[in-house]
Amino acid sequence: MSAFLLKGKRIARFAAGILSVVITAFAFLYAGILNRAQIVDTGKNFYFLVSDFEHVEVGAQVAQLQGGAGYALTCAGDEYAAYAVYFSESESEAARVSVAQTGERAKTVALHSNPIYLKSTKQKQNAALITGAFESLYGCMQVLNNETKRLERGATQESSKRILQTLSRQFSFLGKEYAERVTGYESVCKNAEELLLEMISDVVYSKDLRYLLCKLSVDYTDLSKNFSL
């Protein structure tokens, strides 16, 4: 029995040694990838104003009644109903205070996109195009955000539809331009184009524009994961 136990201990030590070597080799390999990776800072912060109701469905209904998006947001494993998304923390806080004054419960949830790590030679060669894809998408989101504000301030349906029609064409162009550079990019742009065309076929509501902006903020973050380490 003692001989069997001794043999078992030797096998265990041998296996542990092999495992240690494998882990060390992997650590060196990963460190090499990190050293060779080219980092592009396209990271963005998105601040979602969400309903603080326990039940998401109730929160979504309340948000929509208040003119909000009612977008179903999943963040860090939790689910929320979002009123809107903002590009700055101060703006989201001002919106939270405004909603709180109506007697409704709300809070801010932040979503952060990843920096872009270009690891392969091909990715590095296309660095400008990949960066351009994210910058262009973010630019379109800013146009959408500004148009939401303009509509709230009394812009006419006719003028709003002209801008949104132009924006839909821009999404169409971007989807084709960067389809091969960022996985999933074409689908994101196509969906945005279709939603905009659907909106301008009828009365344009700011809550629908807010919904699309919430969706695009999540999409932007998801697209950045294509280049995470």
Side-chain angles (χ1 to χ4, degrees), residues 71 111 134 137 187-189 191-192 212-225:
Y71 179 83
L111 192 63
F134 282 93
L137 178 57
S187 177
V188 167
C189 290
N191 188 261
L212 177 54
L213 189 59
C214 286
K215 186 179 186 310
L216 286 171
S217 298
V218 173
D219 288 339
Y220 185 102
T221 303
D222 288 343
L223 289 173
S224 72
K225 294 176 183 178

Side-chain angles (χ1 to χ4, degrees), residues 71-168:
Y71 179 83
L73 172 70
T74 300
C75 183
D78 294 319
E79 295 183 350
Y80 306 94
Y83 283 91
V85 64
Y86 300 92
F87 298 148
S88 72
E89 189 172 11
S90 60
E91 193 174 10
S92 69
E93 176 59 18
R96 187 197 66 77
V97 171
S98 179
V99 169
Q101 290 174 347
T102 67
E104 301 297 343
R105 296 178 297 177
K107 63 181 181 180
T108 299
V109 174
L111 192 63
H112 311 284
S113 65
N114 298 327
I116 303 301
Y117 291 89
L118 305 177
K119 300 179 285 293
S120 69
T121 300
K122 184 176 181 180
Q123 286 179 345
K124 293 174 184 178
Q125 290 173 343
N126 292 317
L129 290 171
I130 293 172
T131 302
F134 282 93
E135 289 180 346
S136 297
L137 178 57
Y138 192 71
C140 286
M141 292 166 65
Q142 290 178 312
V143 171
L144 183 61
N145 185 45
N146 291 335
E147 186 54 28
T148 303
K149 295 177 180 178
R150 206 177 70 87
L151 190 62
E152 286 185 324
R153 292 168 184 161
T156 65
Q157 286 285 310
E158 183 180 356
S159 65
S160 184
K161 287 181 179 182
R162 280 200 302 268
I163 292 174
L164 296 177
Q165 177 72 54
T166 301
L167 187 59
S168 71

